[in-house]
Amino acid sequence: MTYETFKEQIFLNLKEIFSDSTDISIQPFPHNNHMILDGLIILEPGCNVSPTIYLNHYYESYQKGASFSSIQEQILHYYYSHCRIRSIDTSFFTCFEQVRPHIVYKLIHYEKNKELLKEVPHFPYLDLAIVFYCLIQESPRKNASILIYNKHLAYWNISKSTLLHFAQKNTPLLLSFCCTSLADLIFAPSDVLPKEDYQEISEEVIPMYVLTNRQRLNGACCILYQNVLKQISEQLNDSLYILPSSIHEVIVIPSAQAGEPLELSDIVKEINLTEVAPDEVLSDCVYYYDRFSGCISIC
């Protein structure tokens, strides 16, 4: 089945499942890193917001051998588990005083998003760019977002510096950071693995820590939070190498135990090519945080 046939069949099957008054469409969406993805939108009666379900990834699963029926079930499961926000009063977006508490930032790659950056307020940072969006939360794990464009600043009559000011206050509060040992995530104790074996394996692993936010959404921006890297470096009593594993998280390694920076860079490039979805890649660079100067730089 070709990709076009795959999309058409998904569309026709969903039209059979949902009521006639449900608006179902597949639209191209500009995405991170200059990617265009096909987003499935299902708007049931009385709803003005829907999770965007990107079909490109599902077709890749189909090509790898997953059955069409199982993929359709996955799509429906994703929809029903992410559609708790049914309606948003978009009129609030016209008033900056109402938008202001919801303004947050995220990090994207600068060069790979140059076309997008022409249209959105941003600040360069290392080889990255800080961009802004409005976070609409129903619960800690259920949210929607609206990317902020230059036209919004003109409508609100504010500067991008004002945007940055409120994002610096809001983001750590709305998307609080967490830093977890990678060994604890991988080698979690279980009934299968005896405790003494778990401890022995953990001690042999190079200490790596996953830094992200508690929602694990656009969490790489936690490196921007005031004093977060300082706290981690003080806790580890060392400067830090920072590996951008995706737009959602970074991996932090104490510099004395990290090995050669060039080898770390090769690891990041390999992971980006083989493990990370193209639209979730942040950078191929490795960063260095100097605990004495408090500065972060590209290795």
Side-chain angles (χ1 to χ4, degrees):
M1 189 185 299
T2 67
Y3 180 52
E4 292 303 318
T5 304
F6 175 86
K7 289 192 298 181
E8 182 180 2
Q9 195 60 55
I10 288 289
F11 175 81
L12 293 174
N13 287 8
L14 293 180
K15 292 291 283 186
E16 292 290 326
I17 293 171
F18 288 90
S19 67
D20 292 340
S21 54
T22 299
D23 183 12
I24 300 175
S25 63
I26 299 174
Q27 308 169 25
F29 283 87
H31 225 251
N32 189 44
N33 294 335
H34 200 54
M35 299 212 33
I36 305 295
L37 300 180
D38 291 311
L40 169 68
I41 302 294
I42 303 171
L43 283 175
E44 296 186 73
C47 299
N48 69 351
V49 63
S50 168
T52 304
I53 304 171
Y54 296 107
L55 296 179
N56 310 69
H57 305 312
Y58 288 102
Y59 184 67
E60 290 175 9
S61 297
Y62 173 76
Q63 288 182 306
K64 292 176 181 177
S67 68
F68 185 85
S69 60
S70 69
I71 288 174
Q72 183 171 296
E73 288 178 8
Q74 291 174 37
I75 290 172
L76 288 169
H77 179 268
Y78 184 93
Y79 171 72
Y80 285 120
S81 62
H82 289 79
C83 68
R84 287 182 59 191
I85 301 177
R86 310 293 288 179
S87 182
I88 293 175
D89 180 11
T90 54
S91 64
F92 90 99
F93 206 66
T94 62
C95 176
F96 181 68
E97 291 303 309
Q98 294 186 52
V99 173
R100 185 176 65 185
H102 305 279
I103 292 172
V104 294
Y105 55 50
K106 64 180 178 179
L107 285 170
I108 61 175
H109 194 267
Y110 192 95
E111 286 296 324
K112 291 179 181 177
N113 292 281
K114 289 185 77 171
E115 291 303 311
L116 172 66
L117 294 177
K118 293 176 182 178
E119 302 179 41
V120 301
H122 66 277
F123 289 87
Y125 181 78
L126 303 171
D127 62 326
L128 311 172
I130 304 170
V131 297
F132 306 91
Y133 62 103
C134 177
L135 181 67
I136 304 166
Q137 288 186 307
E138 183 189 70
S139 70
R141 294 188 177 276
K142 301 288 182 180
N143 58 65
S145 63
I146 305 172
L147 187 65
I148 295 176
Y149 284 77
N150 292 326
K151 62 185 178 183
H152 296 132
L153 298 195
Y155 186 87
W156 296 328
N157 193 28
I158 64 167
S159 67
K160 68 176 186 177
S161 297
T162 301
L163 208 59
L164 179 63
H165 170 73
F166 289 110
Q168 287 174 326
K169 293 175 58 178
N170 296 338
T171 313
L173 294 175
L174 298 176
L175 301 168
S176 58
F177 85 93
C178 60
C179 189
T180 309
S181 167
L182 186 59
D184 288 343
L185 293 175
I186 296 175
F187 302 117
S190 68
D191 294 334
V192 177
L193 186 66
K195 184 176 181 181
E196 58 272 17
D197 291 348
Y198 159 73
Q199 291 173 339
E200 183 179 342
I201 293 172
S202 297
E203 289 169 0
E204 294 176 357
V205 175
I206 296 174
M208 297 183 179
Y209 300 86
V210 178
L211 174 61
T212 182
N213 55 43
R214 299 196 182 277
Q215 289 80 357
R216 297 190 178 275
L217 178 69
N218 298 315
C221 72
C222 289
I223 64 174
L224 301 173
Y225 292 6
Q226 186 175 17
N227 293 329
V228 163
L229 295 178
K230 179 181 179 181
Q231 291 176 32
I232 296 172
S233 66
E234 287 178 350
Q235 185 73 25
L236 298 175
N237 196 30
D238 204 349
S239 296
L240 309 171
Y241 283 106
I242 301 167
L243 282 60
S245 53
S246 78
I247 58 174
H248 301 302
E249 62 189 22
V250 299
I251 294 176
V252 177
I253 308 176
S255 64
Q257 298 170 284
E260 291 295 325
L262 187 58
E263 293 178 359
L264 295 178
S265 180
D266 290 340
I267 291 172
V268 172
K269 292 174 183 176
E270 178 67 19
I271 290 174
N272 283 342
L273 282 173
T274 60
E275 303 295 334
V276 184
D279 56 307
E280 295 188 349
V281 171
L282 181 59
S283 173
D284 286 338
C285 291
V286 173
Y287 310 116
Y288 181 74
Y289 174 80
D290 189 308
R291 63 177 299 210
F292 300 107
S293 68
C295 295
I296 183 172
S297 59
I298 299 174
C299 289

